[in-house]
Amino acid sequence: MSEKKYDNETLKAFYQTMARIREFESRAADCFTKGMLAGNIHLCLGQEAVAAGTCAALEPEDYITCTHRGHGQCIAKGGDTKKMMAELFGKETGYCHGKGGSMHIADAQGLHSLGANGIVGGGLAIATGSALASVISGDHHVSLCFFGDGASNQGVFHEVVNMAATWNLPVIYLCENNGYAVSTPIHTVTHTTNIAARAKAYDIPSETVDGMDVLAVYEAVQRAANRAREGKGPTLVECLTYRYQGHYCGDPAPYRPKEYLEEGMAHDALKHMVKVLLDNGVKQSEIDAIDAAAKKELDDAIQFSIDSPDPDPSEVTTDVYADDNERSVVR
């Protein structure tokens, strides 16, 4: 629990972001179950506080890379839920014109989001490269990489953290540790008690915080961002959280003990924030209004997606293949 005092408007803004993320994910799951979406989707239900707290601590000009479970991260960075949902529907009006889908939403120019990634740990090197670009150009932006506990066992994690530490890059490595890499409990494949301990090998600061507490996440990332802006290099922040669904939408997750979900629900970030709001004098009617606005926003986003056109077949290779060099070939 944070010891800092926040005004009610700030607290309501945190709750609003989390409520919008949960509503988006819940409605996406409903659309998927009804067969309205092609492919598959990976939801961040239960992890809303991590995205909300993290992105609130960043400046609009700061860059992020997202995971395959990245809808909440995009929303927290300022993403348009209509364009996001349209992308899930595979429509022309989506962020990537319907060609990227759930795992590849990106908006480098507008949101400074360098994209979600279907490759486990794929954003680690991209965020590190972004931080290096900031040093070279002198733009003073911070780059932050969201990654999961499983990605910390990828070789690229160790390579880029070593590089960032050596070159003192303004990058934050933000681990969403929900305890499972697909179906593998993280402690069966990782010897350290937590992921943050790995920062010691590269002599960079680290923190492990309660990822169900949006204020704890916000304060930890804010400290890391301040260090990066002051030229003090990278930080590893680990947020302990829970994944309410299985690895993908529809995964029954029989590999998890029932206590996992029971514990996660008992520490639900939105319920915790409602209590904080009520304890600070915010009226229940104000909270209900935030929830109602989120539902209306997603009603509109889904209808927008349904009404949007499919990509034109003639555009099938546009934005997919590079065509500005002699070695480019459409295969």
Side-chain angles (χ1 to χ4, degrees), residues 280-292:
N280 280 271
V282 175
K283 297 179 181 179
Q284 182 65 51
S285 59
E286 295 178 78
I287 299 171
D288 293 342
I290 292 173
D291 293 337

Side-chain angles (χ1 to χ4, degrees), residues 273-326:
M273 201 60 192
V274 167
K275 184 178 185 305
V276 171
L277 289 169
L278 294 174
D279 289 347
N280 280 271
V282 175
K283 297 179 181 179
Q284 182 65 51
S285 59
E286 295 178 78
I287 299 171
D288 293 342
I290 292 173
D291 293 337
K295 293 181 183 300
K296 175 63 166 57
E297 178 183 354
L298 266 299
D299 283 342
D300 293 344
I302 291 173
Q303 192 60 52
F304 172 80
S305 302
I306 292 171
D307 295 340
S308 292
D310 293 327
D312 191 292
S314 67
E315 297 287 310
V316 67
T317 61
T318 305
D319 304 319
V320 177
Y321 292 95
D323 57 8
D324 58 352
N325 68 80
E326 62 184 15

Side-chain angles (χ1 to χ4, degrees), residues 35-323:
M36 299 168 70
L37 305 181
N40 214 330
I41 55 174
H42 303 76
L43 305 176
C44 68
L45 291 166
Q47 301 180 191
E48 296 88 351
V50 180
T54 294
C55 291
L58 301 176
E59 298 294 334
E61 297 80 11
D62 291 334
Y63 289 89
I64 66 169
T65 60
C66 304
T67 68
H68 60 285
R69 202 179 305 282
H71 303 157
Q73 297 154 9
C74 184
I75 290 172
K77 194 64 167 67
D80 183 328
T81 53
K82 286 184 177 180
K83 294 174 69 175
M84 289 178 62
M85 190 63 76
E87 188 62 35
L88 268 64
F89 271 73
K91 297 301 185 75
E92 167 64 31
T93 52
Y95 268 110
C96 300
H97 306 296
K99 301 174 184 176
S102 171
M103 291 196 290
H104 299 95
I105 295 174
D107 183 11
Q109 300 301 318
L111 299 178
H112 280 206
S113 170
L114 301 176
N117 208 301
I119 299 172
V120 175
L124 287 160
I126 297 171
T128 305
S130 173
L132 177 59
S134 288
V135 171
I136 293 172
S137 65
D139 63 23
H140 304 294
H141 299 331
V142 172
S143 296
L144 181 142
C145 172
F146 288 97
F147 68 101
D149 43 285
S152 70
N153 284 337
Q154 292 280 56
V156 66
F157 168 79
H158 300 278
E159 294 177 37
V160 299
V161 175
N162 179 66
M163 180 184 294
T166 302
W167 291 349
N168 211 42
L169 300 182
V171 59
I172 302 169
Y173 299 105
L174 194 290
C175 179
E176 290 186 292
N177 186 350
N178 59 34
Y180 283 86
V182 187
S183 59
T184 303
I186 189 61
H187 290 299
T188 66
V189 292
T190 303
H191 187 60
T192 55
T193 56
N194 54 52
I195 304 303
R198 295 184 164 185
K200 295 178 182 178
Y202 307 102
D203 197 24
I204 65 170
S206 66
E207 289 192 59
T208 298
V209 299
D210 181 1
M212 307 301 277
D213 183 344
V214 67
L215 300 180
V217 175
Y218 169 73
E219 291 170 13
V221 176
Q222 191 175 56
R223 287 189 287 271
N226 288 340
R227 283 194 290 267
R229 293 188 211 287
E230 292 166 2
K232 296 180 180 178
T235 302
L236 173 58
V237 178
E238 177 185 21
C239 299
L240 303 179
T241 186
Y242 295 86
R243 188 183 75 196
Y244 284 178
Q245 284 207 340
H247 174 60
Y248 55 86
C249 188
D251 172 14
Y255 44 83
R256 297 190 314 203
K258 65 176 183 179
E259 291 79 12
Y260 173 90
L261 194 55
E262 291 172 353
E263 185 175 314
M265 293 293 187
H267 292 87
D268 184 77
L270 274 76
K271 292 179 181 177
H272 169 74
M273 201 60 192
V274 167
K275 184 178 185 305
V276 171
L277 289 169
L278 294 174
D279 289 347
N280 280 271
V282 175
K283 297 179 181 179
Q284 182 65 51
S285 59
E286 295 178 78
I287 299 171
D288 293 342
I290 292 173
D291 293 337
K295 293 181 183 300
K296 175 63 166 57
E297 178 183 354
L298 266 299
D299 283 342
D300 293 344
I302 291 173
Q303 192 60 52
F304 172 80
S305 302
I306 292 171
D307 295 340
S308 292
D310 293 327
D312 191 292
S314 67
E315 297 287 310
V316 67
T317 61
T318 305
D319 304 319
V320 177
Y321 292 95
D323 57 8

